Amino acid sequence: MSATFPISSRPSAPTRYGLRLRGLTWLVWRQNRLAFWAGLGVAAAVAVYAVVRHQEMAHAIAQGNLDACRGTEIGAGACSNKLMAFTQTYQFPMRRPLQVMLALPLVFGVFLGGPQLAQELESGTYRTVCTQSVTRLRWFAAKLLVPVTVTVVISGTIAAAMTWWWQPAGHLLGGSFPWWQWYPYDGIGPVVVGLSVLSLLLGVTVGLMVRRTVLAMGATVVLSAGAMYLLASLRGHLLPTTLATVQQPTASAAPSNAWVLSEGLTDAAGRRVPDLPSCYAADDYAKCLVRHGRTGRWAEFHPASQLWPLQWAQTGLCLLLAAALAGLCVWWIHRRAV
């Protein structure tokens, strides 16, 4: 940061893969290269481990002829013991990594996004760049483009690996390993990338405004966690639900492994009617409901086929919010003196 010649004339430096980075892009890469290479190394290790575990599960399913048990609930039928053994051996060890995946977006936001601008604004080193042949907006673009690109590559690689690891167990166990719960949902698919980019932009925006590195990192944790909670609350409303009814008051109107958002009872005309708590104590719950005109059930749900449409819808929302934050940063830099 103490160089006296323009950034645009800085000699290019080849990366390990032969790419030649120049000017601000090279500078931002060099400032963050340790974090970038560490993240890429972790992503590669996770990918290798996930591939190995996937192959082990696929082999166990083929050897045990578990395809015939696909979608069967654990605890019911002849497949129960087989599925229980598979769950204990392969699905239980997967739970912890999927739970840890919830923290991945926070890592990008706190350790890459928060300090990205705040560190230079706090120390004043950005002035060295901006007094040469570089405008403030160009400096910001470089400080944003490189971390976003690396975040997409690293989070995308890890998400793809975790998805590949989860798929055999998810398809086999069905409702016993619900796809809509926070894990595996938040640990697989494109939503991991969307949340990571959003958290990164939250960190960058906060760092630009507060100009204090530690404060920016702390605020990013709170804001990113809050954003993830709100997005999880909105998830069920991102796509239209399916409505189904069945003429049996004790049977579910939703198919197996569906994400049921709401359900209840219907009368003979198909109208929704309130439940009858008094029937819970009856000797025959179903007959009690029928006597009081409750002859069927309704349900609003997302079928299992909407897993990836929901994932892409939430990812699109995350990227839209991230773009809005980037626009806010551009306005802030253009209108205010950093």
Side-chain angles (χ1 to χ4, degrees):
M1 297 301 296
S2 60
T4 58
F5 52 86
I7 292 296
S8 58
S9 66
R10 182 181 289 280
S12 60
T15 67
R16 190 173 300 180
Y17 295 100
L19 297 176
R20 298 182 67 84
L21 304 178
R22 294 178 172 83
L24 278 173
T25 305
W26 174 86
L27 178 62
V28 176
W29 170 267
R30 185 168 180 81
Q31 288 175 328
N32 299 274
R33 65 189 184 280
L34 292 179
F36 291 163
W37 283 121
L40 291 171
V42 170
V46 171
V48 171
Y49 183 74
V51 168
V52 171
R53 298 296 289 176
H54 171 93
Q55 293 303 111
E56 290 177 351
M57 281 198 293
H59 180 72
I61 292 172
Q63 288 292 102
N65 295 318
L66 294 178
D67 278 325
C69 300
R70 191 176 300 275
T72 303
E73 297 290 337
I74 294 178
C79 289
S80 179
N81 291 336
K82 290 183 178 181
L83 292 178
M84 182 60 72
F86 178 88
T87 298
Q88 293 176 345
T89 305
Y90 298 103
Q91 191 249 325
F92 283 173
M94 187 193 306
R95 292 187 177 187
R96 188 65 63 189
L98 285 173
Q99 292 169 351
V100 171
M101 285 291 290
L102 191 65
L104 184 63
L106 298 178
V107 172
F108 287 107
V110 173
F111 296 103
L112 190 57
Q116 196 60 225
L117 299 182
Q119 201 167 42
E120 293 207 36
L121 292 171
E122 185 176 15
S123 63
T125 54
Y126 74 96
R127 295 189 182 91
T128 304
V129 176
C130 294
T131 54
Q132 300 179 49
S133 59
V134 176
T135 65
R136 288 179 297 172
L137 289 179
R138 185 182 167 197
W139 166 75
F140 169 73
K143 293 289 287 184
L144 186 62
L145 179 61
V146 175
V148 166
T149 301
V150 174
T151 297
V152 170
V153 172
I154 295 175
S155 63
T157 301
I158 295 176
M162 295 302 298
T163 304
W164 183 246
W165 183 8
W166 163 82
Q167 278 183 333
H171 292 165
L172 175 65
L173 298 177
S176 300
F177 193 19
W179 57 270
W180 67 87
Q181 291 185 349
W182 67 273
Y183 76 92
Y185 188 94
D186 287 317
I188 61 174
V191 74
V192 177
V193 180
L195 290 172
S196 298
V197 173
L198 177 58
S199 183
L200 176 77
L201 263 295
L202 280 171
V204 170
T205 305
V206 172
L208 176 64
M209 293 181 177
V210 304
R211 305 166 67 98
R212 295 293 183 270
T213 304
V214 176
L215 181 59
M217 294 172 71
T220 301
V221 173
V222 176
L223 292 175
S224 295
M228 293 169 67
Y229 176 80
L230 290 176
L231 287 169
S233 301
L234 293 172
R235 182 181 302 157
H237 307 286
L238 295 177
L239 293 178
T241 57
T242 300
L243 176 64
T245 59
V246 62
Q247 291 304 311
Q248 172 56 257
T250 57
S252 176
S256 175
N257 203 24
W259 180 14
V260 180
L261 300 181
S262 58
E263 61 180 341
L265 296 167
T266 63
D267 59 15
R271 296 186 296 260
R272 299 182 183 184
V273 291
D275 198 2
L276 285 177
S278 59
C279 286
Y280 295 151
D283 293 336
D284 193 321
Y285 176 66
K287 289 183 178 180
C288 178
L289 291 176
V290 172
R291 283 199 306 269
H292 290 82
R294 273 65 173 173
T295 60
R297 292 190 70 85
W298 63 271
E300 288 187 9
F301 58 89
H302 289 293
S305 59
Q306 283 196 330
L307 166 60
W308 301 119
L310 281 171
Q311 284 254 337
W312 284 111
Q314 184 173 342
T315 302
L317 179 58
C318 289
L319 296 180
L320 183 64
L321 293 173
L325 289 172
L328 175 61
C329 290
V330 170
W331 175 86
W332 187 276
I333 292 174
H334 183 70
R335 294 292 181 182
R336 298 171 64 96
V338 298

